[in-house]
Amino acid sequence: FQEEQMNFDNGSSEFETTPHVMLGAVPPPNLTLLTIPEQIAAQLAREIVDGLFQVDEKLSEEKLASRFGVSRGPIRDAIALLERNAFVRSKPRLSARVNAITHDDARQLFEVRARLFGLQASYAARRATPPDVDLMREAVAALERHHKENPSDVGGFFTSSTRVWIIVDRVARARRISSVTANVAGSAIWQLAFRDRLHTAVNTLPGRTFLAHWKKMIDAIAEGDELGADQAAQNVVGTTWQMIEKAFAEGNTKARA
């Protein structure tokens, strides 16, 4: 991504995982903006990133359903999310297997996500009403407050940003684009997977830049500036990718040490 050229459903379930490992120094985020499958996918993605699953290891639906206290349906949906985001691969009637997470895989996903979100933002600029704009501004203001009041809650910061994505998607009123986007959506999954490594990122320039691009996008939507909304939306995703890419680099440095 270049800095200047650049669905989730709103779940309401209170869901807490029962992980078999320590979650690390960063407090677990409030994931209630995500559906149960998204919450499970985020937890499993984090464990894959942290090396708690081996490459090619099978994911047993039965064991995961028992671990998370849900039926197999949400587990299948979570695995489908992981597959769309390149964390696992699967074949019909066979258990999903863990993928090696590569820099190139991640970059491709974020590039596609950026283009799609830019398109959604341009439709929002075309169709937003004054009440829509007020709702989007309110959501971004809540995100900024969360960042200021809970600077260590990286997971909460990015799950809160998901609420803004949801609102923009609804304001765009573009069902076909929403459908395609839902098949590659997953920036929140990646952010939560890397949240320990992103712990300092949201307190530094990339985190502030992330918020600034959100505000620019809403301003462009309010003005009916489709091109400006598209560019700012792509920059939101691009800034997210910059933080993820940095986390990749830090992980590789530790692995070589």
Side-chain angles (χ1 to χ4, degrees):
F1 295 94
Q2 295 179 2
E3 175 63 18
E4 294 303 326
Q5 296 294 327
M6 280 290 280
N7 151 18
F8 296 122
D9 290 330
N10 189 357
S12 59
S13 173
E14 291 288 346
F15 179 81
E16 293 184 1
T17 64
T18 53
H20 56 287
V21 293
M22 294 291 288
L23 287 181
V26 181
N30 180 349
L31 299 180
T32 55
L33 283 174
L34 304 182
T35 64
I36 287 177
E38 289 163 357
Q39 293 173 45
I40 294 171
Q43 176 66 26
L44 294 175
R46 185 181 177 213
E47 293 174 8
I48 290 170
V49 166
D50 288 345
L52 301 174
F53 289 94
Q54 299 298 314
V55 174
D56 288 330
E57 184 174 343
K58 291 182 180 180
L59 296 182
S60 165
E61 289 183 7
E62 182 178 3
K63 290 180 179 178
L64 290 174
S66 176
R67 171 187 166 188
F68 289 102
V70 297
S71 67
R72 288 195 181 190
I75 297 299
R76 292 191 186 103
D77 291 342
I79 289 173
L81 276 170
L82 291 172
E83 184 171 19
R84 289 202 294 267
N85 286 280
F87 288 99
V88 303
R89 64 189 185 282
S90 63
K91 294 181 180 179
R93 296 182 295 281
L94 295 176
S95 296
R97 290 181 179 271
V98 174
N99 274 336
I101 304 301
T102 70
H103 177 279
D104 190 55
D105 287 336
R107 183 182 180 90
Q108 289 177 46
L109 284 167
F110 275 83
E111 286 180 338
V112 172
R113 184 71 174 105
R115 299 316 191 269
L116 287 171
F117 188 52
L119 190 57
Q120 284 179 306
S122 69
Y123 269 79
R126 190 180 309 173
R127 296 174 173 175
T129 64
D132 290 334
V133 173
D134 289 342
L135 188 60
M136 289 185 288
R137 289 197 193 281
E138 185 179 305
V140 172
L143 177 63
E144 186 170 25
R145 284 195 303 273
H146 183 97
H147 176 46
K148 289 179 179 178
E149 296 170 3
N150 305 281
S152 65
D153 186 8
V154 176
F157 177 78
F158 286 118
T159 51
S160 294
S161 74
T162 299
R163 179 171 180 261
V164 189
W165 290 96
I166 292 167
I167 293 170
V168 173
D169 176 63
R170 291 173 179 171
V171 169
R173 300 176 178 87
R175 289 185 302 168
R176 298 303 180 189
I177 297 171
S178 294
S179 177
V180 174
T181 302
N183 285 322
V184 295
S187 58
I189 303 296
W190 279 87
Q191 291 154 358
L192 291 168
F194 281 88
R195 70 184 179 90
D196 287 338
R197 300 181 197 176
L198 292 172
H199 177 54
T200 58
V202 295
N203 290 312
T204 57
L205 180 59
R208 292 193 298 272
T209 302
F210 184 82
L211 285 163
H213 288 319
W214 273 121
K215 292 178 180 179
K216 287 181 181 178
M217 185 193 72
I218 304 305
D219 287 342
I221 290 173
E223 295 168 3
D225 180 358
E226 295 181 30
L227 183 60
D230 184 332
Q231 180 174 302
Q234 292 198 48
N235 284 338
V236 168
V237 183
T239 301
T240 304
W241 167 244
Q242 289 172 8
M243 291 186 275
I244 296 290
E245 187 171 40
K246 181 180 178 182
F248 260 109
E250 290 175 353
N252 291 338
T253 298
K254 289 178 181 178
R256 290 193 296 268

